Amino acid sequence: MASFIAIIISAVFINNFVVVQFLGICPFLGVSKDFKSALGMGLAVTFVMTLTCLITYPIYVYVLVPLNIEFMEIIVFIFIIASIVQMIEMALKKFSPTLYNAMGIYLPLITTNCAVLGVAELVIDEAQMISILGIKSMNMGVAVLYGLFAGLGFTLAIVLMSGLREKLARQPISKHLKGFPIAMITACFIAMAFYVFALI
Amino acid sequence: MNNEYKKIAVDGLITSNPTFKLVLGTCPTLALTTMAMNGIGMGLAVTFVLICSNLIISLLRNAIPNQVRIPAFVLIIATFVTIVRLVLDKLLPSLYESLGLYLPLIVVNCIILARAESFASKNTPLKSVCDGLFTGLGFTIALTLMGAVREILGSGSIFGLKLWNFSIAFFASSAGAFFTFAIFIALFSIISEQVEKKRKIAKYNLFDAQKKTEVI
């Protein structure tokens, strides 16, 4: 139980994917202009990240390592992610058109989201996972849980950002700071807030 | 003809600089610029992948069917990233360590896919290689500049050489990365606007002078 809570705290706050590890910055800056689309993007990414961990971790451990072809991991992972995204898109289109309309436009963007490939690469790095989560050994369950909560951490950051940007949109801002620069200064303050968790 | 290559060079380095103007490939830019050396390492790795992927994609541009072009591009890019990773692991293990997770993530770096989609799939191999080289160098210069500023302010050294004992920890932290990047983009926007203004005035003066001579 204690390690379960440790995983949550570490994945969501201390090692937040966006503001601490700098993964998934593109959607964080690009799709955070309003609350609704930020939440949609966050949940879509969380779903894909969890599913990716569920599939890539066993493939790495039970297929690539026994065959001694670990160097193929990048090609295999990106192929799996692209296929997952494509399949989700087709399934959503067929079974739930409403959800497809809400999430559909974000799905193609997720293939090239570094957070998804990042989490797949991170969970197979056993030494690093043990050091950041404080657990004894890696297994499938931890990998999937980490994927899920890292995705929720991404959702938290992007939702916070969208709230701040909605407020900022109505403020008078210098022409040169408009757009990306002011978004990054906002992200700077969010990063400072998350930095406090690392001190605990 | 020569003019065309000059335009590609100026576009890649300055007018559509991938980092400061287009704001692409932000993840490695923010994460790896704590040290100038990392910036150079990452920049050159991306440049190599960009040149090779641009060349192959441009050679295959008529062979790849339109519907499957994105998966095909990604597979080509992933192959070159794997090569870079294996070579760096053997030749420069210290750089390999410090780039860490961000080395495999070159695959999903938007700069490479953007150049493949918008340039290499429409132009000749030679032009595409040229575009890859200059876009990559633009990225490298941007990363090195940011890395130098953050290293000087954040740890009081440059390229690992100690300058003084004064340092502001903020610039080495993740919040400092966002802040430095924001300042750089804003400065780039201000400078390019000033240059554009000057150029317009010069053009106007030239036009004016021509008119006067015509009258005379």
Side-chain angles (χ1 to χ4, degrees):
Chain A
M1 193 61 202
S3 68
F4 181 73
I5 294 169
I7 292 172
I8 298 176
I9 302 276
S10 169
V12 178
F13 298 110
I14 301 173
N15 291 297
N16 185 284
F17 250 49
V18 181
V19 291
V20 180
Q21 306 209 42
F22 301 120
L23 296 168
I25 299 286
C26 303
F28 177 66
L29 295 174
V31 201
S32 61
K33 286 207 181 74
D34 65 290
F35 175 78
K36 242 181 127 183
S37 51
L39 191 64
M41 183 71 186
L43 293 179
V45 168
T46 309
F47 187 56
V48 176
M49 273 167 80
T50 316
L51 216 56
T52 303
C53 285
L54 188 68
I55 296 171
T56 56
Y57 187 77
I59 284 188
Y60 182 78
V61 174
Y62 300 116
V63 180
L64 296 186
V65 173
L67 290 175
N68 264 327
I69 47 168
E70 290 102 322
F71 68 89
M72 288 283 285
E73 67 185 55
I74 304 174
I75 299 175
V76 173
F77 285 0
I78 195 77
F79 203 72
I80 292 171
I81 292 168
S83 320
I84 292 174
V85 172
Q86 195 73 49
M87 269 187 266
I88 293 173
E89 198 176 351
M90 285 194 286
L92 277 185
K93 215 178 203 169
K94 185 133 176 56
F95 297 117
S96 167
T98 36
L99 202 59
Y100 177 76
N101 285 336
M103 253 166 86
I105 46 166
Y106 309 115
L107 280 171
L109 292 174
I110 291 173
T111 313
T112 54
N113 183 340
C114 20
V116 180
L117 187 61
V119 80
E121 290 279 341
L122 207 64
V123 290
I124 59 165
D125 189 346
E126 195 167 347
Q128 202 180 349
M129 285 301 284
I130 288 173
S131 80
I132 60 175
L133 295 182
I135 48 172
K136 284 184 196 77
S137 68
M138 264 310 278
N139 57 42
M140 175 95 182
V142 176
V144 176
L145 266 183
Y146 188 75
L148 172 65
F149 285 107
L152 289 178
F154 174 85
T155 312
L156 175 67
I158 197 170
V159 165
L160 277 178
M161 181 75 170
S162 72
L164 290 172
R165 280 185 85 174
E166 273 184 359
K167 283 234 155 41
L168 271 173
R170 278 178 256 121
Q171 308 298 325
I173 291 163
S174 150
K175 178 173 75 178
H176 297 290
L177 282 175
K178 262 221 165 78
F180 280 116
I182 196 72
M184 279 190 199
I185 289 174
T186 315
C188 162
F189 290 111
I190 297 177
M192 277 194 230
F194 274 89
Y195 184 67
V196 176
F197 290 107
L199 300 176
I200 297 170
Chain B
M1 197 64 188
N2 239 337
N3 240 339
E4 230 167 276
Y5 289 99
K6 204 174 148 193
K7 191 181 173 300
I8 292 173
V10 174
D11 264 354
L13 291 174
I14 303 161
T15 41
S16 55
N17 185 294
T19 310
F20 294 145
K21 182 77 196 179
L22 306 177
V23 199
L24 292 174
T26 39
C27 304
T29 312
L30 290 165
L32 293 172
T33 49
T34 44
M35 282 190 287
M37 204 53 222
N38 284 352
I40 294 189
M42 186 69 196
L44 292 182
V46 169
T47 309
F48 173 77
V49 175
L50 200 50
I51 293 173
C52 295
S53 68
N54 262 8
L55 174 68
I56 301 291
I57 288 166
S58 160
L59 285 171
L60 294 174
R61 67 186 187 280
N62 295 326
I64 299 174
N66 207 26
Q67 295 87 344
V68 294
R69 67 181 193 286
I70 302 282
F73 293 168
V74 170
L75 272 188
I76 292 167
I77 295 165
T79 312
F80 285 112
V81 174
T82 307
I83 293 171
V84 168
R85 203 179 181 199
L86 292 175
V87 169
L88 273 188
D89 192 15
K90 276 275 168 293
L91 295 181
L92 294 163
S94 61
L95 186 66
Y96 179 81
E97 265 314 289
S98 57
L99 296 185
L101 180 62
Y102 297 93
L103 201 54
L105 289 184
I106 297 177
V107 180
V108 283
N109 192 321
C110 350
I111 298 172
I112 299 174
L113 203 61
R115 289 331 283 173
E117 174 81 6
S118 68
F119 199 93
S121 60
K122 292 181 192 115
N123 286 291
T124 56
L126 190 61
K127 263 195 222 166
S128 303
V129 168
C130 204
D131 176 74
L133 174 68
F134 286 109
T135 311
L137 284 181
F139 182 65
T140 310
I141 291 168
L143 247 66
T144 314
L145 264 179
M146 251 184 83
V149 168
R150 280 185 68 196
E151 200 181 345
I152 291 172
L153 292 173
S155 49
S157 58
I158 179 103
F159 291 107
L161 297 167
K162 198 89 193 148
L163 290 177
W164 46 68
N165 277 329
F166 169 76
S167 68
I168 311 164
F170 170 74
F171 284 97
S173 72
S174 53
F178 282 112
F179 186 75
T180 320
F181 201 4
I183 298 298
F184 261 100
I185 298 173
L187 279 179
F188 189 84
S189 145
I190 293 171
I191 292 170
S192 50
E193 195 196 55
Q194 292 298 330
V195 170
E196 196 58 34
K197 223 184 238 168
K198 279 227 173 80
R199 194 176 289 159
K200 256 183 198 156
I201 291 170
K203 218 177 190 175
Y204 183 76
N205 284 345
L206 197 71
F207 183 70
D208 225 33
Q210 264 175 357
K211 233 180 177 176
K212 267 178 198 159
T213 46
E214 265 170 32
V215 170
I216 293 164

